[in-house]
Amino acid sequence: AVTIRGKVWQRPVTLRLGEAVLSLIVRNVTGVTLQGGTFVNTGGTGALIARSRNVSVQNGRFTESRRGVVIDRSQDIRITGSQF
C-alpha cells in the first residue's frame, strides 16, 4: 500500500497516478488531489481516507476490493469522474 500520513499542504498538491495500480492510505492529511490510478486490494479496501481534509480523487478506478473507498472522520472529500 502507498501511505500518505501527517502532511499538510496549504495549497493542495496534485499527484498524477496515471496507470499506476495501488492500494492507498491517506491519514491525517490536508490538501491533496489524486488524479487517475487504479485502486485495488483483493478482499479489502482500495483506498482509505481517514482524519483528513480537502482530499480529492479524480478519474480513479476502484476494483478488486470489497470496499472501493472508506472515508473515516474526514471533511471536504471529493470523488469525481471515478469508476467503481
Side-chain angles (χ1 to χ4, degrees), residues 5-31:
R5 179 176 300 196
K7 299 291 184 183
V8 175
W9 289 284
Q10 297 303 319
R11 293 180 53 186
V13 298
T14 299
L15 302 176
R16 291 182 178 92
L17 302 176
E19 300 297 318
V21 177
L22 66 151
S23 61
L24 178 71
I25 299 170
V26 175
R27 190 180 304 274
N28 298 318
V29 170
T30 298

Side-chain angles (χ1 to χ4, degrees), residues 25-30 47-56 69-79:
I25 299 170
V26 175
R27 190 180 304 274
N28 298 318
V29 170
T30 298
L48 169 65
I49 302 170
R51 297 181 178 145
S52 296
R53 312 179 57 117
N54 196 17
V55 174
S56 178
V69 74
V70 172
I71 301 170
D72 177 37
R73 292 174 275 183
S74 297
Q75 297 176 328
D76 300 321
I77 308 302
R78 291 167 302 287
I79 300 174

